[in-house]
Amino acid sequence: MTRTDTSVPAPAAASRGRTALLAATAGTAIANNYAVQPALTDIAAEFDVPLQVIGLVPTAALLGCMTGFVLLLPLADRLPPNRLMARQLTALAAALGLAAAAPGAAVLLVAYLFVGATAAVAAQAGTIAGRLAPPGHRTAAVATVAAGMSAGILLSRLVGGALADALGWRRMLLVCAALVLLCALAATRLLPGERPPARGRYLATLGALPLLLRQHPPLRRAVAAGGLWYLAFNLVWVALALALGRPPHSLDATEIGLYSLAGLLGFLALPLTGRLADRHSPRTVITASLLIAASGAALLATGLDRPWATLTGLALFDAGAFAAQAANQSRIMSLDPDRGSSLISVYLVLYFTVGAAGTTSAAPLLEAAGWTGTALTALAALSAAAGVVLSGNNRP
């Protein structure tokens, strides 16, 4: 009697393994933008500089990340995945080493410009996962990598703070560098070495990035919708930290940080979101996700006096925003799969630019309108994003 083989087919198993590696790599890379933040006070004291100066480290990481989106992300359309990921991860480890050895604030800030730029490899991991996924599984692959990124962002401050307390901030950065090098080694051995079908020269590719907005109207709508929900996301989380830290709540930094664990639902829901988007239309999934996020914002608008309601609202809010983002990126990549990384490059730069308005306006809005008014403003931004998704001649 012939035994029936119930194992997973080799190509499918290999694809899942690559996607898992890319998700772990994305989370490990992007975490380096945030892991140092709990130690900023200690760093300022060691360098004997004002906290406002060391407070520019997160800004340097963000500026570097946006630069990486422009200059490095399009390389994913041109270079073999194994070489590209390994080289950029090695550069990230070197930047972390420079930060760990920094003799003063100036060198640390320069180092974090490079940390942020090379940490943009996390976005490359998502586009590579989408391109390597079997037909009908692109969104699931992108969502899995997005889940890895979300986990890295959410857990980075917790793990970074614990390591800094145990080892000191310099050794913490060296541990992060070692983990990045392990990811580089795995990428070299496990990712494919085939070169994507690049179009034209690299500088011409960069020059063509702004033209993509004109060529693809759905990209413009994706930027508008994504920017609106990222604005709402930043608005809620920055204002939440400020509101919880002052009377009548007066929570300390550790207690405020625990609220971020509510976002765990967001990345736990992402793989399911990806499978749904592959079976149904991304437009439908994005709209449903925004409705979930809006329900969370509406619950948050009822006030912060009931922790269970706040945590539930944050969980729904994050789950909806994360799910919409994964489906939106998959939809953008489908516009032109051969230039998926270039399209995502344009999207992410503008997405972060629009979203930064939420960070900037959170404190003034909280002072002017209170927490309820701030949450309602986020709800309005989510509603506007849903309107953009449903407007025009959007694809299904």
Side-chain angles (χ1 to χ4, degrees), residues 80-94:
N82 59 349
R83 287 170 49 197
L84 174 64
M85 297 288 288
R87 291 176 180 179
Q88 195 157 322
L89 288 166
T90 301
L92 172 57

Side-chain angles (χ1 to χ4, degrees), residues 22-307:
L22 289 166
T25 299
T28 301
I30 201 67
N32 292 292
N33 281 352
Y34 308 95
V36 76
Q37 291 182 14
L40 292 179
T41 302
D42 294 336
I43 297 172
E46 180 178 329
F47 290 160
D48 193 23
V49 296
L51 186 58
Q52 293 91 324
V53 174
I54 295 301
L56 294 174
V57 167
T59 303
L62 177 59
L63 291 174
C65 202
M66 294 181 68
T67 302
F69 290 154
V70 174
L71 299 180
L72 301 178
L73 183 50
L75 291 174
D77 292 333
R78 309 179 62 82
L79 298 178
N82 59 349
R83 287 170 49 197
L84 174 64
M85 297 288 288
R87 291 176 180 179
Q88 195 157 322
L89 288 166
T90 301
L92 172 57
L96 289 167
L98 176 62
V107 174
L108 186 67
L109 289 172
V110 171
Y112 263 89
L113 284 171
F114 286 102
V115 168
T118 49
V121 70
Q124 290 174 338
T127 61
I128 291 170
R131 188 170 65 241
L132 297 179
H137 295 274
R138 175 187 289 127
T139 307
V142 173
T144 299
V145 175
M149 289 181 63
S150 301
I153 293 171
L154 287 170
L155 299 177
S156 58
R157 296 177 181 89
L158 179 63
V159 175
L163 286 175
D165 283 339
L167 305 174
W169 67 271
R170 294 183 187 273
R171 289 190 179 91
M172 179 271 291
L173 292 178
L174 293 177
V175 170
C176 292
L179 292 174
V180 168
L181 287 176
L182 286 176
C183 291
L185 179 61
T188 301
R189 295 188 174 184
L190 300 178
L191 293 181
E194 293 81 10
R195 182 185 294 271
R199 300 180 179 182
R201 295 182 178 275
Y202 170 67
L203 291 179
T205 298
L206 294 183
L209 290 179
L211 300 178
L212 295 175
L213 283 170
R214 186 174 65 186
Q215 295 171 5
H216 299 285
L219 176 61
R220 297 198 294 270
R221 285 188 284 271
V223 167
L228 283 167
W229 71 61
Y230 191 48
L231 182 150
F233 182 87
N234 288 336
L235 194 62
V236 164
W237 279 103
V238 174
L240 177 73
L242 296 173
L244 292 177
R246 66 185 190 179
H249 308 288
S250 301
L251 302 184
D252 61 31
T254 300
E255 290 171 325
I256 294 172
L258 289 175
Y259 276 81
S260 67
L261 296 180
L264 290 174
L265 178 63
F267 79 82
L268 290 176
L270 276 170
L272 173 61
T273 301
R275 290 193 292 271
L276 289 174
D278 284 323
R279 294 175 184 174
H280 307 285
S281 73
R283 181 185 184 186
T284 300
V285 173
I286 294 170
T287 304
S289 299
L290 289 176
L291 288 175
I292 292 171
S295 68
L299 187 56
L300 291 172
T302 62
L304 300 175
D305 297 328
R306 298 166 297 163

